[in-house]
Amino acid sequence: MFMALEPRRLYRQVADQIRTLIETGELAVGERLPAERELAERFGISRPSVREALIVLELEGLIQIRMGSGVYILRKPTAGPAVPPAEDGDGPFEILQARCIVESAIAEEAARRARPEHVAILDENLRLMQDALDDADRAIALDCAFHGAIIDIIGNAALKRFTGLVYDRRTSPYFEKLASYFEGPHTWRLALEEHQVIRDAIAAADPAAAREAMRRHLTLAQKRFSESFEEEQARED
């Protein structure tokens, strides 16, 4: 039923193949898809790529993701998908990986250049985020502001524009839909704690520690987005 794929925008290829199986009736409405691990093995790709494909299909209204239960076929495709993926769209995990690589170096350089007024901005951000853990929109805005404030320490306009292009993808419907399953007060509290470690390394003018703190933070963010849809999540509502 499922065929192994070549490495080219894998999540879109997975989505296309599952969509075709629904169209032909090989996957019937109401049927539960195999578990993520099994799908990854059948396609010969990573579980994150499978997860990204499932998000695309859910946005199209073809499947329903039920946390703790699995993924179910909701309906057959109509004339065209409701939310077609952009041809050059980056998957959420690609975005997080790119941020991990780039922002680790940014944090390292920021630790060399930070002045007291820069640290004060980070402190104020942390204070505000502490009061916004239950407000998803505000937490996201403050998270972006924290990372942006670190970039501002370097004072490089080209770098600011470059990272802005990556940050803009954070507001894509695919990223936001995936985040809706795994972000909440508990994960924002973890992010806040990780931000504090980054702040402390920058304030201490320790480039190596700042780089590692940022790398760890964004690596853990990827892991938080990698939890299975089939397993019950220990989250706070």
Side-chain angles (χ1 to χ4, degrees):
M1 180 185 291
F2 301 101
M3 298 180 294
L5 301 171
E6 295 298 323
R8 181 191 62 81
R9 293 299 182 200
L10 292 177
Y11 78 97
R12 290 214 310 268
Q13 293 187 67
V14 174
D16 290 344
Q17 192 172 135
I18 294 176
R19 190 185 301 108
T20 298
L21 293 173
I22 298 173
E23 289 173 345
T24 60
E26 291 187 63
L27 292 173
V29 174
E31 184 177 346
R32 184 182 184 276
L33 282 176
E36 286 178 29
R37 186 184 301 277
E38 184 177 348
L39 286 173
E41 290 174 353
R42 293 191 190 186
F43 285 121
I45 61 173
S46 69
R47 290 177 67 178
S49 291
V50 170
R51 193 169 298 110
E52 289 171 336
L54 295 177
I55 292 297
V56 170
L57 293 170
E58 185 176 42
L59 285 171
E60 293 176 7
L62 300 182
I63 65 171
Q64 182 181 48
I65 297 170
R66 303 175 190 170
M67 292 299 288
S69 175
V71 181
Y72 297 82
I73 308 302
L74 196 60
R75 66 171 178 82
K76 285 190 174 183
T78 55
V83 186
E87 278 303 307
D88 61 348
D90 302 313
F93 289 94
E94 281 186 315
I95 294 169
L96 288 169
Q97 184 182 46
R99 287 188 58 192
C100 186
I101 294 169
V102 174
E103 292 192 54
S104 296
I106 289 172
E108 178 181 0
E109 185 62 23
R112 296 190 178 99
R113 300 183 180 218
R115 299 190 300 271
E117 58 267 32
H118 294 134
V119 177
I121 292 172
L122 297 180
D123 287 340
E124 176 64 8
N125 178 279
L126 294 174
R127 184 188 69 78
L128 293 172
M129 192 168 182
Q130 178 65 55
D131 296 330
L133 300 179
D134 294 315
D135 184 338
D137 290 340
R138 184 155 172 74
I140 290 171
L142 288 166
D143 177 74
C144 291
F146 178 84
H147 289 271
I150 294 174
I151 296 168
D152 288 341
I153 293 172
I154 299 176
N156 185 303
L159 183 62
K160 182 80 170 179
R161 286 193 296 272
F162 174 77
T163 53
L165 294 174
V166 179
Y167 287 155
D168 286 347
R169 300 301 177 94
R170 175 65 174 81
T171 60
S172 74
Y174 307 106
F175 202 114
E176 289 184 343
K177 188 65 176 178
L178 179 64
S180 72
Y181 287 110
F182 299 109
E183 287 181 342
H186 174 65
T187 58
W188 285 121
R189 184 172 294 108
L190 292 174
L192 177 62
E193 293 170 358
E194 292 155 18
H195 284 185
Q196 182 69 54
V197 177
I198 297 167
R199 175 269 178 209
D200 291 346
I202 291 174
D206 188 335
R211 182 184 187 94
E212 175 56 24
M214 183 64 77
R215 186 203 64 78
R216 182 174 183 274
H217 167 51
L218 291 173
T219 297
L220 289 174
Q222 292 182 61
K223 289 182 178 179
R224 287 191 280 270
F225 277 37
S226 297
E227 297 178 30
S228 173
F229 289 132
E230 286 85 12
E231 297 170 2
E232 290 289 351
Q233 307 298 309
R235 301 176 59 200
E236 296 178 29
D237 296 326

